[in-house]
């Protein structure tokens, strides 16, 4: 995950962001995906949806993936991606009655059922509408920020949640690119350190979305914060929480 664009697969059925799908999963694995929970419309979080829908239409047109997010993100994907200009509108393929793609908007800060999971979207600070998610199965759960600069409400909501086992948090840039992180709505290790004070305490933090060209530098700075609590998510690995 540190190197490939962002995507997590939960319980084989629910994709959380879709930066990578085809490159990481076999076709039989892709066909099992029923839901894609999307933080925001940026291509490094959504481009896999283009290939996933194309794959479904080709090899499993009876299957259906529901793309879920907050309203502005769904509107953006409809208007700018699956618009029959940049990519086919797969909500009509193979037919409008039984398409391979569906869109679903869910309200902010309310719990919604997605597959077997409960998800609560909370808007975060980025250059476009973006949501972090608190995701749980009724017993345990985790938090996923998507892309965000310094934020507040997500941490408040997370502090009220029970059973969180992991905080999956972005850190895109090393400290020297603080100004770029600011304008592009991302975090550096120094900025993350300030976020930690607002987070629910003691829960392990897993970092994703480090810019691949700057991975080493950023990872070394992260390691100086709290090596017992902060870890870097590794690409292609399976984690149990
Ligand atoms: Zn982004
Ligand atoms: Zn991103």
């Amino acid at each position: 995950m540190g190197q490939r664009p962002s995507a997590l697969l939960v319980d084989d059925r629910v994709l959380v962001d879709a930066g990578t799908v085809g490159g990481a999963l076999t076709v039989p694995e892709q066909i099992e995906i029923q839901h894609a929970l999307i933080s925001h419309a940026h291509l490094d979080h959504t481009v896999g949806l283009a290939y996933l829908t194309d794959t479904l239409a080709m090899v499993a047109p009876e299957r259906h993936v529901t793309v879920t997010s907050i309203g502005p993100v769904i509107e953006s994907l409809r208007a700018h991606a699956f618009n029959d200009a940049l990519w086919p509108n797969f909500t009509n393929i193979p037919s409008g009655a039984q398409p391979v793609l569906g869109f679903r908007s869910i309200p902010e800060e309310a719990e919604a059922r997605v597959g077997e999971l409960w998800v609560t979207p909370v808007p975060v600070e980025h250059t476009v509408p973006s949501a972090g998610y608190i995701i749980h199965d009724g017993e345990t759960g985790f938090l996923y920020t998507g892309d965000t600069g310094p934020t507040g409400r997500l941490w408040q909501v997370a502090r009220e949640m029970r059973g969180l086992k992991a905080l999956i948090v972005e850190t895109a840039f090393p400290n020297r690119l603080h100004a770029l992180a600011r304008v592009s709505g991302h975090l550096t290790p120094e900025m993350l350190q300030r976020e930690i004070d607002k987070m629910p305490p003691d829960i392990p933090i897993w970092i994703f979305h480090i810019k691949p060209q700057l991975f080493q530098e950023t990872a070394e700075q992260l390691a100086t914060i709290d090596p017992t609590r902060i870890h870097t998510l590794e690409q292609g690995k399976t984690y149990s929480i």
Side-chain angles (χ1 to χ4, degrees):
M1 283 246 317
Q3 320 288 324
R4 269 197 210 122
S6 308
L8 305 171
L9 184 63
V10 182
D11 293 344
D12 298 329
R13 296 284 191 277
V14 181
L15 200 59
V16 180
D17 273 344
T20 303
V21 181
L25 300 175
T26 65
V27 168
E29 287 170 334
Q30 292 177 52
I31 288 169
E32 295 302 317
I33 296 170
Q34 296 174 347
H35 297 274
L37 190 60
I38 299 296
S39 65
H40 66 301
H42 278 161
L43 280 177
D44 60 325
H45 299 256
T46 59
V47 72
L49 295 175
Y51 300 108
L52 176 61
T53 48
D54 192 53
T55 298
L56 292 180
M58 289 299 113
V59 306
E62 73 287 359
R63 298 287 182 126
H64 181 88
V65 62
T66 302
V67 172
T68 300
S69 189
I70 55 174
V73 175
I74 296 298
E75 282 162 33
S76 185
L77 287 171
R78 282 185 189 276
H80 303 298
F82 293 92
N83 58 4
D84 282 331
L86 196 72
W87 202 247
N89 177 4
F90 277 99
T91 67
N92 286 324
I93 298 172
S95 70
Q98 285 190 305
V100 292
L101 173 66
F103 286 116
R104 178 184 174 206
S105 300
I106 56 175
E108 297 169 3
E109 292 197 27
E111 214 166 37
R113 196 82 162 135
V114 174
E116 302 289 298
L117 303 170
W118 294 98
V119 306
T120 305
V122 180
V124 293
E125 318 306 316
H126 198 42
T127 53
V128 294
S130 188
Y133 290 99
I134 297 165
I135 299 170
H136 73 90
D137 65 5
E139 288 177 17
T140 62
F142 66 96
L143 173 150
Y144 173 82
T145 60
D147 288 3
T148 187
T151 195
R153 184 65 188 146
L154 180 63
W155 306 132
Q156 284 179 346
V157 174
R159 278 171 168 270
E160 292 158 18
M161 288 283 189
R162 295 286 159 266
L164 290 186
K165 299 290 186 207
L167 309 174
I168 300 174
V169 183
E170 80 121 277
T171 302
F173 295 113
N175 292 331
R176 70 185 159 85
L177 296 181
H178 176 89
L180 179 57
R182 273 272 167 205
V183 297
S184 61
H186 287 292
L187 296 172
T188 65
E190 275 171 7
M191 291 156 83
L192 174 77
Q193 202 160 4
R194 268 170 259 142
E195 293 302 294
I196 288 174
D197 295 335
K198 299 181 265 176
M199 292 177 191
D202 304 325
I203 302 171
I205 299 166
W206 292 86
I207 301 298
F208 81 109
H209 208 289
I210 301 173
K211 291 284 178 192
Q213 309 87 334
L214 305 167
F215 186 89
Q216 199 60 35
E217 183 181 359
T218 311
E220 282 169 15
Q221 293 170 353
L222 286 167
T224 65
I225 300 176
D226 184 352
T228 59
R229 189 174 173 200
I230 298 177
H231 315 276
T232 305
L233 271 190
E234 286 176 46
Q235 171 176 310
K237 231 174 136 174
T238 300
Y239 294 88
S240 299
I241 48 176

